[in-house]
Amino acid sequence: QVQLVESGGGLVQVGGSLRLSCAASGDTICISHMGWYRQAPGKKRELVAVITSGGSTNYADSVKGRFTISRDNAKNTAYLQMNSLKPEDTAVYYCNAFCPGRASDYWGQGTQVTVSS
């Protein structure tokens, strides 16, 4: 099993920045991809960014150029640096870890990000 704990959410004004962290524990050796998803009220959960164990990244078009995902494999921690935040970025942000050997996804409890205009 893998446990994920997010931190770093909060309230920020338009144009501001936040940095989210996701600390993984447990059987972390199985993890390949780590990612961030978000879910706004009344909307489906959507992918924000993903990073492989080798450092390759992919982003949703809506956050390209503003958000940066990174990963410290030694600390089993993923980060999401969010700059130039917009009201439409308001959502609960969830960390995800994928273990291909088990075909299993693991999720954190979520952290609220609110961007006020």
Side-chain angles (χ1 to χ4, degrees):
Q1 291 290 323
V2 173
Q3 295 79 43
L4 302 174
V5 178
E6 302 106 331
S7 60
L11 175 64
V12 64
Q13 292 186 333
V14 169
S17 298
L18 282 174
R19 188 192 194 207
L20 305 182
S21 298
C22 173
S25 61
D27 195 13
T28 58
I29 196 170
C30 78
I31 298 174
S32 61
H33 295 61
M34 294 188 75
W36 290 94
Y37 290 70
R38 66 186 181 187
Q39 187 167 18
K43 294 189 176 181
K44 293 181 180 180
R45 190 173 298 189
E46 63 176 1
L47 174 68
V48 176
V50 64
I51 185 168
T52 69
S53 55
S56 297
T57 59
N58 195 28
Y59 296 91
D61 288 343
S62 59
V63 306
K64 283 181 181 177
R66 299 188 298 122
F67 290 11
T68 302
I69 188 171
S70 61
R71 181 172 176 176
D72 185 333
N73 290 326
K75 295 182 178 180
N76 295 312
T77 301
Y79 305 95
L80 185 67
Q81 178 66 43
M82 305 185 294
N83 298 328
S84 303
L85 283 161
K86 305 175 181 180
E88 50 264 44
D89 295 317
T90 295
V92 177
Y93 284 70
Y94 295 91
C95 179
N96 170 269
F98 178 62
C99 290
R102 305 172 188 171
S104 295
D105 277 301
Y106 299 93
W107 295 92
Q109 81 286 355
T111 185
Q112 177 70 48
V113 171
T114 303
V115 184
S116 64
S117 56

